[in-house]
Amino acid sequence: MAKPLALTSGEPAGIGPDITLAAWLRRRELDLPPFYLLGDRTSLAERAKALGLTVELADVSAEESSAAFSRALPVVATGKVATARPGKPDGTSAEAAMASIRQAVADVVAGKAGAVVTNPIAKNVLYRAGFRHPGHTEFLAELAAKGARAPQPVMMLWSPALAVVPVTIHLSVREALAQLTTDLIVSTARIVVTDMKARFGLAAPRLAISGLNPHAGEHGTLGREDIEIVAPAVETLQRDGIAARGPLPADTMFHEVARKTYDCAICMYHDQALIPIKTIAFEDAVNVTLGLPFIRTSPDHGTAFDIAGTGKANPASLIAALRLAARMAAAAPPR
């Protein structure tokens, strides 16, 4: 039997509880893989009541969660109780969110769960509590390191229609330009290829490498970065035997015909990658962290404080994240 998925609580005042409850209620209809929530049963019960939902909750251990899943939403306690109300994070929010992430990673590493699926966090809330990472991705890399050198985490946004990877992630445009190097493009692309082979079942992933500047620099007339930084990376990847093309003008990479020519678009900075996928697949895109010794997926949206507790939150992206995590776990065991 496949191991259950460890689902984090995310920001307790956000829509994480709402979409978790909604996904579990559709478990039979959608044939969802078994999962358990790492959090606080009392606060989850309060959210279900506020939403007018009848949901059976079960306090269980990770090992007991799969057996309970069909009759009740399994909840594994983290020891951190959240008191935050919908849309109003408080002093308990950060500790509860971080404890849930830490325990999910520990469970997967210990073999109790098959993958980590994370509900959305509010980084501004975590920063006030001393969180020092740009986001989930970097925190997970530190947890994976166990005190040693952290692996390079790679953020992929995946959907059936498009998969994208930004080489630089949560940085200002100015800082992204400063940090973009040939070596970083190459190492990012190699991680993408390795994980797409091992966990997506692609024997020879095809990569489309975007240029940095408009029109990929117009042969240097709009900047030499594409000649001096991006093109050498593409050449190195091709020498490695990787099916990589580029640098390509980013403005013509994402129409329907172009998307059929590659399996993943490697983009130079955050918005260059995320704008197209959020336009094409806003409801069903999944955030996947590659390069880690465990599988991690997440909904591709934020905490949506404005609709938390209202019943308006759409669980589609979480459902897609659960399904993709199960698919990846079945394709290859965690490294």
Side-chain angles (χ1 to χ4, degrees):
M1 178 183 293
K3 295 175 183 176
L5 306 175
L7 176 62
T8 70
S9 61
E11 165 55 55
I15 61 170
D18 304 36
I19 58 178
T20 298
L21 292 162
W24 182 83
L25 285 170
R26 299 181 65 185
R27 68 199 180 283
R28 293 194 181 95
E29 168 197 349
L30 300 175
D31 192 26
L32 292 183
F35 64 86
Y36 61 89
L37 182 73
L38 286 152
D40 171 42
R41 183 179 181 277
T42 300
S43 61
L44 190 62
E46 290 175 355
R47 184 66 63 91
K49 183 178 179 181
L51 292 167
L53 301 177
T54 301
V55 179
E56 184 73 23
L57 303 175
D59 280 315
V60 295
S61 66
E63 294 87 347
E64 297 167 333
S65 61
S66 291
F69 185 75
S70 63
R71 63 174 178 81
L73 172 51
V75 181
V76 175
T78 62
K80 297 294 183 181
V81 177
T83 61
R85 311 302 300 169
K88 298 179 179 179
D90 66 19
T92 66
S93 289
E95 283 299 321
M98 287 189 286
S100 185
I101 297 167
R102 290 191 185 98
Q103 190 58 52
V105 171
D107 283 358
V108 173
V109 171
K112 298 177 182 179
V116 174
V117 181
T118 58
N119 266 310
I121 56 173
K123 286 179 282 189
N124 63 317
V125 175
L126 296 183
Y127 293 154
R128 292 198 297 268
F131 189 74
R132 56 184 178 80
H133 302 279
H136 250 135
T137 303
E138 296 83 1
F139 184 39
L140 289 164
E142 181 182 273
L143 294 175
K146 299 179 185 177
R149 182 178 179 181
Q152 179 189 345
V154 170
M155 184 174 81
M156 170 186 280
L157 278 296
W158 179 93
S159 77
L162 175 65
V164 298
V165 166
V167 174
T168 60
I169 308 177
H170 300 115
L171 300 170
S172 69
V173 173
R174 185 186 299 274
E175 186 62 24
L177 293 178
Q179 293 200 16
L180 185 68
T181 65
T182 298
D183 287 346
L184 182 60
I185 297 169
V186 169
S187 64
T188 299
R190 285 172 174 163
I191 289 168
V192 171
V193 169
T194 296
D195 274 15
M196 292 196 87
K197 285 180 177 180
R199 292 175 172 166
F200 287 81
L202 296 177
R206 301 166 300 166
L207 305 182
I209 314 293
S210 80
L212 171 68
N213 296 304
H215 306 165
E218 284 281 14
H219 304 288
T221 60
L222 296 178
R224 295 194 55 81
E225 291 87 356
D226 292 295
I227 294 173
E228 297 174 358
I229 298 175
V230 184
V234 176
E235 292 166 5
T236 298
L237 294 169
Q238 291 172 342
R239 287 196 297 270
D240 287 349
I242 292 171
R245 295 184 296 120
L248 303 173
D251 61 350
T252 57
M253 283 178 57
F254 300 105
H255 63 83
E256 186 175 4
V257 174
R259 296 199 306 270
K260 293 178 181 178
T261 67
Y262 58 83
D263 300 301
C264 183
I266 309 295
C267 302
M268 298 302 105
Y269 55 93
H270 184 279
D271 284 10
Q272 194 181 52
L274 271 65
I275 287 173
I277 195 166
K278 290 195 175 187
T279 301
I280 292 167
F282 187 79
E283 298 292 350
D284 59 0
V286 178
N287 187 336
V288 186
T289 304
L290 307 179
L292 300 179
F294 51 82
I295 294 162
R296 179 266 179 152
T297 67
S298 179
D300 181 28
H301 57 68
T303 53
F305 285 132
D306 57 325
I307 61 170
T310 67
K312 296 179 181 179
N314 187 342
S317 188
L318 174 59
I319 289 166
L322 291 163
R323 284 180 158 166
L324 182 60
R327 169 186 157 185
M328 293 173 69
R335 292 192 291 270

